Amino acid sequence: MIRMGVIGYGYWGPNIVRNFSSVDGSKVVALSDLNEDLLKKAQRTYPHLRVSTRSDEIIGAADIDAIAIVTPVFTHFELAKKALNMGKHVLVEKPFTYTTAQAEELIELAEKKHLKIMVDHTFLYTGAVRKIKELMDNGTLGDLCYFDSTRVNLGLFQHDVNVIWDLAPHDLAIMDYLIKEKPTAVVATGQAHINGLEDMAYITVYFPNKIIAHINVNWLSPVKVRTTLIGGLKKMIVWNDLDPDEKIKVYDKGVDVKTTNGVHNLLVSYRSGDMWAPQLEQGEALKLMAETSVGCMGNGKVPINDGAAGLRVVKMLESADKSVKKKGEIVYL
Amino acid sequence: MIRMGVIGYGYWGPNIVRNFSSVDGSKVVALSDLNEDLLKKAQRTYPHLRVSTRSDEIIGAADIDAIAIVTPVFTHFELAKKALNMGKHVLVEKPFTYTTAQAEELIELAEKKHLKIMVDHTFLYTGAVRKIKELMDNGTLGDLCYFDSTRVNLGLFQHDVNVIWDLAPHDLAIMDYLIKEKPTAVVATGQAHINGLEDMAYITVYFPNKIIAHINVNWLSPVKVRTTLIGGLKKMIVWNDLDPDEKIKVYDKGVDVKTTNGVHNLLVSYRSGDMWAPQLEQGEALKLMAETSVGCMGNGKVPINDGAAGLRVVKMLESADKSVKKKGEIVYL
Amino acid sequence: MIRMGVIGYGYWGPNIVRNFSSVDGSKVVALSDLNEDLLKKAQRTYPHLRVSTRSDEIIGAADIDAIAIVTPVFTHFELAKKALNMGKHVLVEKPFTYTTAQAEELIELAEKKHLKIMVDHTFLYTGAVRKIKELMDNGTLGDLCYFDSTRVNLGLFQHDVNVIWDLAPHDLAIMDYLIKEKPTAVVATGQAHINGLEDMAYITVYFPNKIIAHINVNWLSPVKVRTTLIGGLKKMIVWNDLDPDEKIKVYDKGVDVKTTNGVHNLLVSYRSGDMWAPQLEQGEALKLMAETSVGCMGNGKVPINDGAAGLRVVKMLESADKSVKKKGEIVYL
Amino acid sequence: MIRMGVIGYGYWGPNIVRNFSSVDGSKVVALSDLNEDLLKKAQRTYPHLRVSTRSDEIIGAADIDAIAIVTPVFTHFELAKKALNMGKHVLVEKPFTYTTAQAEELIELAEKKHLKIMVDHTFLYTGAVRKIKELMDNGTLGDLCYFDSTRVNLGLFQHDVNVIWDLAPHDLAIMDYLIKEKPTAVVATGQAHINGLEDMAYITVYFPNKIIAHINVNWLSPVKVRTTLIGGLKKMIVWNDLDPDEKIKVYDKGVDVKTTNGVHNLLVSYRSGDMWAPQLEQGEALKLMAETSVGCMGNGKVPINDGAAGLRVVKMLESADKSVKKKGEIVYL
């Protein structure tokens, strides 16, 4: 039984507490937040929880095996470092850290201490992403051409990070999980309209083998969109995460290319066949992430949401941020 | 009565012939195409039409006042130049030309000859674009933040031009018409998967006053999307051109910013109010374009789809094409 | 080559003329309408057409083999009877006639004269209905439970017939074609709000074997809906005729029933599997109807849109009309 | 402070406990269910709750002021009667009772005992229904023509009641609240396919003044639909309860009727204007229902979900059930 301490009870913290409380293999024993009202609210639901406004009390407690850090990104590094140094496993909310240097340092420290450091890339555990992964790995899509994701809504302006750091971690983590090739470069454009932080951005990620990815994130959209297109030469996927019933549609559409004998005569023809919406596994993704993460703390296995995955995402975020500041200048990874 | 000669009876030519035949002020008297079968098909519907496989016969005919050029883009310049030199008004299918130099030469020649040269930017005449123009010009949207357009489908691969030249002219012509500010730079990314021509591209256009535009064009999408978001500080528009009934939705959503007294304390709050779908004027846009163009040939007025509009679009296409080849290098306009 | 005369050039007439002009096996030689402006309009497009405001001139012409009657329903019987008596094959717009007695008389007369009488049940020739028919006939759906169709919009008020006679012929013809069992009774409810004719109606059709059908027709709906649900024990279909790309969706959803040993213990469990949208054959349904009908005039075959099909639909319309007047009183067929 | 006892912790019970626990003015002190596992589950979340498998213990407890009955419909009458006799206010899950006689007896008993009896018609407290009520009451819609509701899905088969008693209470309660006129008669058709209980039904309700309502309920639909059309002569509403953002759309569409001078010449013309989606009040409807109900227990006011409303709904359910058994025979109310 892993005894968890949770730091942060804002927007996402309650979900972390609820899930680590309910899965087999872990229980939440202590919670810290700077806001006393939030602590009181937590205790109404979980009267047994030990609470504190001082995170050090949680991090240092002898009866705690692992720390979940659910605080703003700029605090991740210091808190995670402390926790590792106190001998605790760590799960960090995404994005992992604010710099690749920080991410690398945490990964090294965890290895040295024989501890686990993981990142809450919840989306990797959804039925949708798992089904897409299966369809890509078993060759259904054929050679991959592109990954194109749109994640826009009228968003809560963050005061410390721009829209890239706020919304793109989801898409980059998913993309990193699905695509085997390693990205080579990033180009990002965008604009800050309100408070000096980019509120919309367009991120292109180049891969080998003609694969290209694009991520559109926007805090100023009047409508909420969560749509990802994944195009292969054999089949193509449209994933609409807002569709309650048919999130994943697989299209038997594509392009057939024939080079006729001897000459450079390219014949491009189109295929248009049936569409198919596979049944997805139900179940809360966060619960599965919690279960898997807790399991890996015990058994030494490496989860798909390990520190290395977190680092790869931070590297792309950092590069996109750098590129957007220079109006689309390419940043090689 | 303007007597028209039409060159080209492929995909779009029949629409041009039908509309210039039916509007007041013009009639189509002759048609040319290299494909004799297409000419026969045209004559079944329009037995009175004079047809020829030689465009020179049409361009040079004494009983013709204006030439509509509905051929592939690489032929536009030569055909238009000939027609102007023969004293004919000219309407060119979009994109106007393949280089800005060609566009400039045609505009100059037309001026010298006191003839009209126009481009078939049909979309400017749709009820949707006219309504958006009205809402932007009368201040309904407030200060403009962005224009974000997606035009993707499983597309007919062109053999001479990439997806930028094929699909983006629509969005760039609409953007050019709607936004008063002059664009300053273009960044484009994209990829060629099949035949060496880019089949997907992402174009960012920078404007003064923090305005930014983005255009997503793709020949490899399994689904057809024609959606444009236009965000202002007061209101925001979602234009879904595939919605048969409610193409334009105006959202009373936005961001209010207050700087509190004395300090640099930015308060960003959100507005979320009603949505409103205005009734749009019906009627075929191409017919209105034809009517207006024919009218301008007679009365000397300058239509919104004049050669200068065509040139501005070509300049952006040329720049995007240049940028995409250099993986997003910025191209100043 | 079947030489056609067409009577009526209102809303649907132009489609009939266009299609019977273009298919192999027939040509349109003459057209009649009471409205001279419509005749002029027809001649602009088809200068070779002989036109007349007197239908007798068309019906009696020696150079005409078949008559298409595209006029209001109350004129169908007299016109069709005349045409048959003059030795012409007849295609009648739906609904076939205004009474079953009329329909029976026409069918008998056609048989006696060795002529064909057919009804323009265009929908039977759409890719959607043909695919559904295939899925029902090959057992994909399993035992049929229900057919539930909604056909509503802000409709053109008719001055001679209510919404049942205007809109329900489509659904009843489709239902008659798809369901092998013979309907046993009809119950209809509805209301007239504006001009004394029912502008909305709900028609239930009872069949043997627990099959039930329901048709919802409405001229007072602010939105257009064309949706049919067809439920079988093994699979279920949703046909949304307004969806441009995925009209037919086949759901692997249903109910499994088990009676456990010895007792009357019914275990009802649910299946929820993949959804599948088959690719449909393209092509204009009306053209296929025209081709098939013309073919049958020559070769003696019986098309699916024969007079008998028209009669079965009229019988249900008549019964629904009778029931709606008596507030849902059951009418046995 | 109203001290509540809750009977039943199945599908809906947890929501009742959660809401009556959190609103001002009430707290839940005791819970009963026949299933001990459910009681244990409840105590994990609410350790302070007194639980029992014997409802009598709850109903008879001296420290309880009101009883919420969240059990199958056939138990409602006995439990509510006991509770009233023990001097408790009562809130009953919908449908109120299984017969009008039972409903009447409970209402009388409550009056005699000066206690409140209410029914959990939660939908009346949603932002959507409240906005529609406002638009109908302030004349926006004009004279009402119809109310047409579809509530279908692949449903949990009930073992004690058919689909009418399971799904139609929602629509009938909403209709009863929105329409001022009193219904005069009911016609219902339907079919039982699986276990002898109707799994689909079509209910027509006649009103004075040409108003008509129709309710389509179905347990065998592969897709979930929750759509209500409400047509007035001036404006029409489409309420799609599954749309996360724009549940209510108000269409400026309708029919204008003019009787021209002196004669019975009816001119019917169509209006088609803007569409408008009003912002709805957020907040959980069940919480508002709980608050209002608890408030009325204290202050003697009559809530919109009183026993009389419950009775009117039961009367229509009973009539629809009677009609469906007789294949649509009209049942006068």
Short mmCIF file of all heavy atoms in Angstrom, two decimals, chain B residues 39-59:
data_model
loop_
_atom_site.label_atom_id
_atom_site.label_comp_id
_atom_site.label_asym_id
_atom_site.label_seq_id
_atom_site.Cartn_x
_atom_site.Cartn_y
_atom_site.Cartn_z
N LEU B 39 -16.39 20.39 -75.45
CA LEU B 39 -17.07 21.35 -76.33
C LEU B 39 -18.41 20.79 -76.81
O LEU B 39 -19.42 21.48 -76.85
CB LEU B 39 -16.18 21.69 -77.52
CG LEU B 39 -14.90 22.48 -77.16
CD1 LEU B 39 -14.06 22.72 -78.42
CD2 LEU B 39 -15.25 23.81 -76.49
N LYS B 40 -18.41 19.49 -77.14
CA LYS B 40 -19.67 18.86 -77.58
C LYS B 40 -20.70 18.89 -76.45
O LYS B 40 -21.88 19.16 -76.66
CB LYS B 40 -19.40 17.41 -78.00
CG LYS B 40 -18.92 17.29 -79.44
CD LYS B 40 -18.70 15.83 -79.81
CE LYS B 40 -17.75 15.73 -81.01
NZ LYS B 40 -17.08 14.43 -81.07
N LYS B 41 -20.23 18.57 -75.27
CA LYS B 41 -21.14 18.59 -74.11
C LYS B 41 -21.72 19.99 -73.92
O LYS B 41 -22.92 20.14 -73.66
CB LYS B 41 -20.32 18.17 -72.86
CG LYS B 41 -21.16 17.88 -71.65
CD LYS B 41 -20.27 17.48 -70.46
CE LYS B 41 -20.87 17.96 -69.15
NZ LYS B 41 -19.87 18.15 -68.10
N ALA B 42 -20.91 20.99 -74.09
CA ALA B 42 -21.39 22.36 -73.94
C ALA B 42 -22.45 22.68 -74.99
O ALA B 42 -23.47 23.31 -74.70
CB ALA B 42 -20.22 23.34 -74.05
N GLN B 43 -22.22 22.20 -76.18
CA GLN B 43 -23.18 22.53 -77.24
C GLN B 43 -24.51 21.81 -77.08
O GLN B 43 -25.53 22.28 -77.57
CB GLN B 43 -22.56 22.20 -78.60
CG GLN B 43 -21.66 23.35 -79.07
CD GLN B 43 -21.28 23.22 -80.51
OE1 GLN B 43 -20.85 22.15 -80.94
NE2 GLN B 43 -21.44 24.30 -81.26
N ARG B 44 -24.49 20.66 -76.44
CA ARG B 44 -25.79 20.01 -76.18
C ARG B 44 -26.66 20.92 -75.32
O ARG B 44 -27.84 21.07 -75.55
CB ARG B 44 -25.58 18.67 -75.46
CG ARG B 44 -25.45 17.49 -76.43
CD ARG B 44 -25.83 16.17 -75.78
NE ARG B 44 -24.97 15.83 -74.65
CZ ARG B 44 -23.78 15.23 -74.76
NH1 ARG B 44 -23.30 14.91 -75.96
NH2 ARG B 44 -23.07 14.96 -73.71
N THR B 45 -26.05 21.53 -74.29
CA THR B 45 -26.82 22.43 -73.43
C THR B 45 -27.04 23.80 -74.07
O THR B 45 -28.09 24.40 -73.91
CB THR B 45 -26.08 22.62 -72.08
OG1 THR B 45 -25.65 21.36 -71.62
CG2 THR B 45 -27.01 23.25 -71.05
N TYR B 46 -26.04 24.28 -74.79
CA TYR B 46 -26.12 25.63 -75.40
C TYR B 46 -25.84 25.52 -76.90
O TYR B 46 -24.73 25.80 -77.37
CB TYR B 46 -25.08 26.56 -74.76
CG TYR B 46 -25.14 26.59 -73.25
CD1 TYR B 46 -24.26 25.85 -72.47
CD2 TYR B 46 -26.11 27.37 -72.60
CE1 TYR B 46 -24.32 25.89 -71.09
CE2 TYR B 46 -26.17 27.40 -71.22
CZ TYR B 46 -25.28 26.66 -70.47
OH TYR B 46 -25.35 26.69 -69.12
N PRO B 47 -26.87 25.10 -77.67
CA PRO B 47 -26.64 24.83 -79.10
C PRO B 47 -26.16 26.06 -79.87
O PRO B 47 -25.53 25.93 -80.92
CB PRO B 47 -28.02 24.38 -79.59
CG PRO B 47 -28.79 24.03 -78.37
CD PRO B 47 -28.25 24.88 -77.26
N HIS B 48 -26.42 27.26 -79.36
CA HIS B 48 -26.07 28.48 -80.10
C HIS B 48 -24.58 28.84 -79.95
O HIS B 48 -24.08 29.71 -80.66
CB HIS B 48 -26.91 29.64 -79.58
CG HIS B 48 -26.62 29.96 -78.14
ND1 HIS B 48 -27.17 29.25 -77.09
CD2 HIS B 48 -25.80 30.89 -77.59
CE1 HIS B 48 -26.73 29.74 -75.95
NE2 HIS B 48 -25.89 30.73 -76.22
N LEU B 49 -23.87 28.22 -79.00
CA LEU B 49 -22.48 28.62 -78.71
C LEU B 49 -21.54 28.31 -79.87
O LEU B 49 -21.54 27.21 -80.40
CB LEU B 49 -21.97 27.87 -77.48
CG LEU B 49 -22.07 28.50 -76.12
CD1 LEU B 49 -21.17 27.74 -75.15
CD2 LEU B 49 -21.66 29.96 -76.15
N ARG B 50 -20.67 29.27 -80.19
CA ARG B 50 -19.58 29.02 -81.15
C ARG B 50 -18.44 28.38 -80.36
O ARG B 50 -18.06 28.89 -79.31
CB ARG B 50 -19.13 30.37 -81.71
CG ARG B 50 -18.45 30.29 -83.05
CD ARG B 50 -18.42 31.67 -83.69
NE ARG B 50 -17.40 32.54 -83.13
CZ ARG B 50 -17.62 33.79 -82.72
NH1 ARG B 50 -18.84 34.32 -82.76
NH2 ARG B 50 -16.62 34.51 -82.25
N VAL B 51 -17.93 27.27 -80.83
CA VAL B 51 -16.88 26.61 -80.05
C VAL B 51 -15.63 26.41 -80.90
O VAL B 51 -15.70 26.37 -82.13
CB VAL B 51 -17.34 25.25 -79.49
CG1 VAL B 51 -18.58 25.40 -78.63
CG2 VAL B 51 -17.58 24.26 -80.63
N SER B 52 -14.51 26.27 -80.20
CA SER B 52 -13.24 26.07 -80.90
C SER B 52 -12.22 25.46 -79.95
O SER B 52 -12.25 25.72 -78.75
CB SER B 52 -12.71 27.42 -81.40
OG SER B 52 -11.36 27.28 -81.83
N THR B 53 -11.33 24.66 -80.47
CA THR B 53 -10.24 24.16 -79.63
C THR B 53 -9.09 25.17 -79.61
O THR B 53 -8.14 25.00 -78.85
CB THR B 53 -9.70 22.82 -80.16
OG1 THR B 53 -9.32 23.00 -81.52
CG2 THR B 53 -10.74 21.72 -80.05
N ARG B 54 -9.17 26.22 -80.40
CA ARG B 54 -8.09 27.20 -80.44
C ARG B 54 -8.51 28.48 -79.75
O ARG B 54 -9.38 29.20 -80.23
CB ARG B 54 -7.68 27.47 -81.88
CG ARG B 54 -7.16 26.17 -82.58
CD ARG B 54 -6.48 26.48 -83.91
NE ARG B 54 -5.62 27.61 -83.81
CZ ARG B 54 -5.75 28.73 -84.57
NH1 ARG B 54 -6.72 28.79 -85.46
NH2 ARG B 54 -4.92 29.74 -84.41
N SER B 55 -7.89 28.77 -78.61
CA SER B 55 -8.30 29.93 -77.83
C SER B 55 -8.08 31.22 -78.62
O SER B 55 -8.81 32.19 -78.45
CB SER B 55 -7.53 29.99 -76.51
OG SER B 55 -6.13 30.07 -76.77
N ASP B 56 -7.11 31.23 -79.52
CA ASP B 56 -6.84 32.45 -80.29
C ASP B 56 -8.07 32.89 -81.09
O ASP B 56 -8.32 34.09 -81.25
CB ASP B 56 -5.67 32.22 -81.26
CG ASP B 56 -4.35 32.22 -80.51
OD1 ASP B 56 -4.36 32.45 -79.28
OD2 ASP B 56 -3.30 31.99 -81.16
N GLU B 57 -8.80 31.91 -81.57
CA GLU B 57 -10.00 32.25 -82.36
C GLU B 57 -11.01 33.02 -81.51
O GLU B 57 -11.73 33.88 -82.01
CB GLU B 57 -10.66 30.98 -82.88
CG GLU B 57 -9.93 30.39 -84.07
CD GLU B 57 -10.66 29.19 -84.64
OE1 GLU B 57 -11.84 28.98 -84.27
OE2 GLU B 57 -10.06 28.47 -85.45
N ILE B 58 -11.07 32.68 -80.24
CA ILE B 58 -12.00 33.36 -79.35
C ILE B 58 -11.46 34.73 -78.96
O ILE B 58 -12.14 35.74 -79.04
CB ILE B 58 -12.23 32.53 -78.06
CG1 ILE B 58 -12.59 31.09 -78.39
CG2 ILE B 58 -13.24 33.19 -77.15
CD1 ILE B 58 -13.95 30.90 -78.96
N ILE B 59 -10.20 34.72 -78.56
CA ILE B 59 -9.60 35.96 -78.08
C ILE B 59 -9.59 37.02 -79.17
O ILE B 59 -9.78 38.21 -78.91
CB ILE B 59 -8.15 35.69 -77.57
CG1 ILE B 59 -8.20 34.81 -76.33
CG2 ILE B 59 -7.43 37.00 -77.26
CD1 ILE B 59 -6.85 34.36 -75.80
#
